[in-house]
Amino acid sequence: MRQLDFEKQYRDQWERLRLLLDDLDRSRRKRRQSPSEVESLPLLYRQVCNHYAIARSRHYSPALEQQLHELVQRGHRHLYSGRSAELWRLVQFIAFGFPRALRRQIAYFWLAVALLALPGLLVGGFCYLQPELIYSVMDEDQVAQMESMYDPANRKPGRALERSAETDMMMFGHYISNNIGIGFRTFAGGMLFGFGTVLLLLFNGVAIGAVAGHLTRIGYQDTFWSFVCGHGSFELTAIVICGASGLILGHALVAPAPLSRLVALKQRAREALPLVMGAAFMLLIAAFIEAFWSSSTVAIQIKYGVAGLLWLLVLLYLGLAGRGAHGAG
């Protein structure tokens, strides 16, 4: 394409970006920005960046290159500075950065899945077939409390009796604290050469499997499974991701060569941190679902249907988000 035709085709977009940047400069001086203007900026900015790259590759006139370069610089300043830029980077991380980071470490993820799921399935099966086995995992008081939580007569399934009177908002705060605590301990266990992470994944798998097998055995399956199925897609996946992050740290300490352990740990920690941040976001969603949906009186069939959709959403998000022309992974 000749330069004249190139300019004719894209001149309107360049002018739109220039006018938008002028408006944003005036808004910034007055300490206000229009949300609609900020929302349209990223798309225009990416388009002009592409035009600038084309102009340089085709060796168009220096004047045109300079014009586009200035637009790109101004757009970059607005996108990557200030509160709106922080919000945009957060949105980009959640939408694209986190799933890409996880797929780059997929081997650790599947290892963490195995460490959590295999003991859970094994112990769950044995507890279903041999009812007394539950007392090898929990003491009598813990079993009694767990049974009361998922008793069909319980007005608020999934809540201990001492918490049955608490509001959904109070339980939301409790679940956040509990979930984040489990996730962080699973991640931090990697600092013990990975053994802490492995033990926590195994322990959680055994505990979850034992509870599931026992409650199914005594006929509380409708109460239990309808409660955990909704938030389980986010909570269990996030715990596994925290486990994968801990395994990354542990691998750096066990096999740092050719680097020193400290240098290897620093490098791998930078790779693990996005996974922990993304998992924290998923645990927040899990806590919200658990507090406001899981213990609701909605029909069991509806809960199972919603749970299926949530599992599908999580799988599609982690497996496909961020793929495409602007970054595969």
Side-chain angles (χ1 to χ4, degrees), residues 65-305:
E65 288 189 23
Q66 180 63 27
Q67 176 188 352
L68 295 177
H69 180 65
E70 290 177 357
L71 284 174
V72 168
Q73 282 189 319
R74 292 181 63 194
H76 185 275
R77 284 197 297 270
H78 279 281
L79 269 178
Y80 299 100
S81 63
R83 293 182 179 178
S84 63
E86 294 174 1
L87 178 60
W88 175 245
R89 285 195 291 269
L90 177 61
V91 170
Q92 284 188 314
F93 170 74
I94 293 172
F96 308 117
F98 168 49
R100 287 177 186 166
L102 176 61
R103 290 194 294 269
R104 286 194 292 269
Q105 310 295 338
I106 196 65
Y108 296 100
F109 174 79
W110 288 120
L111 177 57
V113 168
L115 290 170
L116 182 75
L118 293 180
L121 293 172
L122 186 64
V123 173
F126 278 121
C127 285
Y128 180 80
L129 296 173
Q130 300 290 334
E132 67 279 1
L133 187 61
I134 186 67
Y135 297 102
S136 300
V137 180
M138 301 177 174
D139 60 36
E140 293 184 3
D141 290 339
Q142 290 173 318
V143 173
Q145 182 183 48
M146 179 255 300
E147 290 178 352
S148 69
M149 288 172 61
Y150 297 101
D151 189 324
N154 188 352
R155 186 177 63 88
K156 285 289 187 178
R159 299 187 187 182
L161 293 178
E162 63 269 18
R163 291 188 174 274
S164 60
E166 294 186 5
T167 64
D168 291 344
M169 184 59 68
M170 293 174 67
M171 292 305 298
F172 178 46
H174 168 72
Y175 292 141
I176 289 176
S177 175
N178 183 66
N179 292 352
I180 295 296
I182 294 173
F184 180 78
R185 287 193 296 272
T186 305
F187 164 64
M191 295 296 294
L192 299 175
F193 293 85
F195 291 117
T197 296
V198 170
L199 290 175
L200 284 169
L201 287 171
L202 293 173
F203 172 79
N204 281 296
V206 168
I208 294 170
V211 169
H214 178 72
L215 292 177
T216 303
R217 171 77 182 191
I218 64 175
Y220 289 0
Q221 65 274 4
D222 287 344
T223 310
F224 173 73
W225 290 111
S226 66
F227 177 81
V228 300
C229 65
H231 59 272
S233 55
F234 287 92
E235 183 176 329
L236 293 178
T237 305
I239 290 173
V240 167
I241 292 172
C242 288
S245 305
L247 294 175
I248 292 172
L249 299 186
H251 191 191
L253 293 171
V254 171
L259 305 173
S260 68
R261 280 195 170 85
L262 181 58
V263 173
L265 181 63
K266 288 181 179 179
Q267 288 188 0
R268 300 312 302 276
R270 285 194 290 268
E271 299 172 10
L273 184 59
L275 304 189
V276 179
M277 294 170 59
F281 174 71
M282 294 185 70
L283 289 171
L284 181 65
I285 296 176
F288 181 86
I289 296 173
E290 189 171 2
F292 296 100
W293 170 258
S294 296
S295 60
S296 67
T297 56
V298 176
I300 291 176
Q301 294 80 0
I302 296 177
K303 284 189 174 183
Y304 286 148

Side-chain angles (χ1 to χ4, degrees), residues 5-37:
D5 295 330
F6 181 78
E7 292 186 53
K8 184 177 180 180
Q9 182 173 350
Y10 298 115
R11 176 69 63 184
D12 289 345
Q13 293 181 31
W14 305 341
E15 184 64 14
R16 283 175 56 203
L17 180 60
R18 186 187 66 79
L19 292 174
L20 174 58
L21 293 172
D22 289 343
D23 289 342
L24 290 173
D25 284 335
R26 287 192 292 270
S27 298
R28 179 168 289 182
R29 285 194 292 270
K30 295 176 182 179
R31 296 294 188 267
R32 70 172 185 270
Q33 282 180 279
S34 167
S36 60
E37 290 177 338

